[in-house]
Amino acid sequence: VEGHKLRDGVRPGAARETKKVETVIVGGGMAGLSAAWWLRKKGYGDFVLLEMEKEAGGNSRYGQNEVSAYPWGAHYVPIPNRNSPLVRELFEEVGLLDNGEWNERHLCHSPQERLYLHGRWQYGLEPEVALSRRGREQFARFEEMVAQRHATGKWAIPHARGEIDGKLEAQGFGAWLRENGFDAPELLWYLDYSTRDDYGCSIGDTSAWAGLHYFAARDHDDKGPFCWPEGNGWLMRYLRGKVAGQLRTAAVVYRVERRGRGWMVRSAGCDYEAQKVIWAAPSFLASRLVEGAPVAAGFSYSPWVTANVTLERLPRASESAEMAWDNVIYGSPSLGYVVATHQSLEMHREKSVWTWYYAIAEKAPAEARKMLLGSSWEYWRDRVMEDLSRAHPDIGECVSRIDVFRNGHAMVRPPPGFLASEARRKMIAGLPGLYFANSDLSGISIFEEAQYRGVEAARRVLS
């Protein structure tokens, strides 16, 4: 709501006071919190972190009711490999990694994932039930090509620590698949599910490099992922606690302008004179609010809907035996649901919360955002129930509450050519004393990239 007010030209009244501070961080999502975390780790405390919403966290915010905490967005972090030293450093700090051993209490319990296909559940998300010979051959060939790329060590998370293949980055993933003879419907569904899951867009709107990066950049023999009832809100809450003294919520920033060799950051209730600014809010906002900022041309963001479904009891045992953490329905436009209570150690638990995800990948982002603005809670209630009833026919008898969150700019998309674009290069370069830090600079909206961008900006401040 506050963002739309800014878009429409509504500005807060005159600030009640002006304060001087060395650095202002704009945006309290994972990038902004990571920048603040790094500054504090290095003994730098002369900064303030401004967040527009009433609660910091961005895509890692979460909710809670009498049954469980539950995520509104990001809900897991895979086990970081050696290419993710910042993640490993944070995980050691919070007790997830101790003397080289992962804390199994926070690793996803088994079974981790399952797929509803041909009227039954199978464990694992790669379709196996009634898979054709052609499908099996193509799955094996694709996995071999991924393994070869992974073995080069050039595919990393964050991807700035690896190398980007310019030819693959300029090509569409769908075109690359056709060029390499991949046409089995089960494989194409699985790959499209994967790009919708991590990027919010279909294989036709994803670069070939990004499509392959999803698979080639991670180790595939780990025990992960890490997950919590509140999703990545577990990590967010820790970071927020580390910088609580510098965090200001409900602090809408409506203008950042030059003031001598520094910057004036104008926000609701207070203006800040600063020498440096870290812009951790989405990059597309900068040209509207920051003097001299480049236009984020080519930055495209996927709209999402998340629904948290509270159940008084689970569907019939025959339909939900051995409930997994991540549950996907083959052929569904949604991404399925995760079970917020999956990590519970209670022997018997009737009530639960399922978090249902839907990336509106079949529409152009602008069209999808218009649809989101015009859709009601009743519309999404019916979409959620219809989708879940594919695998759980009696779901309507179990649900007592559905909470819906519409996110018009949930995550950046990685279309062909984006990483090599001039607009992205200008954003990464920043302005004198102002550094851009949102995960959208990476073209991939995941925790590791947000943390990397935030820490990189903090390092520039310290230098």
Side-chain angles (χ1 to χ4, degrees):
V1 175
E2 296 301 328
H4 285 179
K5 289 180 180 178
L6 283 177
R7 177 200 63 189
D8 296 337
V10 177
R11 297 292 183 263
R16 292 187 297 273
E17 58 181 328
T18 299
K19 295 182 179 180
K20 289 189 176 182
V21 64
E22 182 70 20
T23 299
V24 173
I25 303 172
V26 179
M30 277 300 191
L33 288 169
S34 294
W37 167 72
W38 191 258
L39 292 177
R40 287 298 302 269
K41 279 178 69 74
K42 301 304 177 182
Y44 182 100
D46 193 8
F47 70 89
V48 64
L49 172 56
L50 304 179
E51 166 56 39
M52 176 178 70
E53 302 290 348
K54 295 179 181 179
E55 181 182 13
N59 282 348
S60 294
R61 286 175 292 171
Y62 67 94
Q64 186 162 359
N65 61 19
E66 68 281 1
V67 177
S68 175
Y70 45 77
W72 282 124
H75 53 289
Y76 72 97
V77 180
I79 287 182
N81 57 28
R82 297 295 174 182
N83 280 321
S84 303
L86 286 173
V87 184
R88 296 174 75 93
E89 183 171 343
L90 173 63
F91 281 13
E92 286 182 344
E93 190 175 313
V94 299
L96 297 177
L97 178 60
D98 184 17
N99 292 322
E101 297 293 327
W102 300 112
N103 188 330
E104 295 194 4
R105 173 187 172 192
H106 298 277
L107 292 174
C108 185
H109 300 169
S110 182
Q112 294 183 1
E113 39 189 36
R114 63 177 184 169
L115 175 67
Y116 189 76
L117 173 65
H118 302 314
R120 55 169 284 193
W121 289 102
Q122 61 146 73
Y123 291 104
L125 296 185
E126 293 187 12
E128 294 181 356
V129 176
L131 182 62
S132 66
R133 181 176 180 179
R134 179 178 57 148
R136 293 187 186 281
E137 181 275 327
Q138 291 189 18
F139 264 102
R141 186 159 58 87
F142 180 79
E143 289 168 1
E144 181 181 358
M145 295 177 76
V146 166
Q148 291 172 352
R149 285 169 168 79
H150 180 72
T152 66
K154 297 179 180 180
W155 301 74
I157 298 176
H159 66 67
R161 293 180 58 85
E163 297 180 21
I164 297 175
D165 185 314
K167 181 178 179 181
L168 288 173
E169 204 275 324
Q171 186 179 17
F173 192 29
W176 182 88
L177 291 168
R178 291 191 295 273
E179 183 180 288
N180 285 274
F182 293 111
D183 59 2
E186 300 92 342
L187 175 64
L188 295 181
W189 172 84
Y190 176 66
L191 299 179
D192 189 69
Y193 164 82
S194 301
T195 57
R196 286 185 292 126
D197 182 47
D198 249 29
Y199 311 138
C201 55
S202 67
I203 53 177
D205 295 320
T206 304
S207 75
W209 179 87
L212 291 166
H213 180 271
Y214 179 93
F215 301 96
R218 297 200 186 276
D219 296 330
H220 294 277
D221 56 354
D222 61 50
K223 301 177 182 179
F226 286 105
C227 66
W228 305 271
E230 63 270 50
N232 288 10
W234 189 88
L235 289 169
M236 179 273 291
R237 191 170 60 242
Y238 173 82
L239 292 173
R240 188 176 62 191
K242 298 294 287 186
V243 298
Q246 279 97 0
L247 176 62
R248 307 288 182 268
T249 56
V252 179
V253 172
Y254 61 91
R255 184 64 179 165
V256 180
E257 55 196 24
R258 273 292 185 189
R259 177 61 60 91
R261 298 181 65 181
W263 296 89
M264 176 66 79
V265 180
R266 302 196 181 278
S267 72
C270 186
D271 290 344
Y272 295 90
E273 289 187 29
Q275 293 302 306
K276 299 167 186 174
V277 174
I278 294 176
W279 185 269
S283 296
F284 76 91
L285 296 173
S287 62
R288 296 174 179 264
L289 304 177
V290 179
E291 180 182 349
V295 176
F299 283 65
S300 177
Y301 300 83
S302 295
W304 279 63
V305 173
T306 307
N308 276 293
V309 182
T310 302
L311 296 91
E312 295 302 307
R313 66 168 179 84
L314 296 179
R316 286 189 297 269
S318 61
E319 298 293 335
S320 57
E322 301 233 30
M323 180 76 67
W325 166 68
D326 190 11
N327 304 266
V328 178
I329 301 172
Y330 184 86
S332 167
S334 82
L335 296 166
Y337 62 92
V338 297
V339 179
T341 56
H342 182 73
Q343 298 294 93
S344 173
L345 298 179
E346 292 183 18
M347 294 297 292
H348 179 74
R349 187 166 189 152
E350 279 291 316
K351 296 184 179 182
S352 185
V353 178
W354 294 357
T355 306
W356 180 88
Y357 291 94
Y358 174 43
I360 310 178
E362 69 275 14
K363 296 178 181 289
E367 181 185 355
R369 279 189 281 275
K370 289 182 180 178
M371 186 269 283
L372 279 184
L373 283 172
S375 58
S376 65
W377 174 85
E378 289 81 6
Y379 172 82
W380 288 108
R381 173 201 62 194
D382 294 344
R383 288 288 301 269
V384 172
M385 296 299 287
E386 178 185 7
D387 190 50
L388 292 177
S389 66
R390 299 175 186 223
H392 306 289
D394 64 330
I395 189 70
E397 303 169 15
C398 308
V399 174
S400 61
R401 180 182 178 94
I402 300 178
D403 295 276
V404 177
F405 177 56
R406 297 169 294 175
N407 192 334
H409 298 82
M411 55 201 307
V412 70
R413 293 182 169 194
F418 172 73
L419 295 182
S421 68
E422 180 71 6
R424 176 176 176 268
R425 185 192 65 77
K426 288 181 177 179
M427 283 288 181
I428 291 176
L431 301 170
L434 189 145
Y435 316 113
F436 295 102
N438 195 271
S439 63
D440 58 16
L441 296 176
S442 295
I444 300 175
S445 183
I446 56 177
F447 170 78
E448 298 95 328
E449 296 290 350
Q451 185 200 39
Y452 172 78
R453 293 295 168 188
V455 170
E456 280 297 294
R459 284 171 171 162
R460 294 178 71 181
V461 165
L462 295 173
S463 68

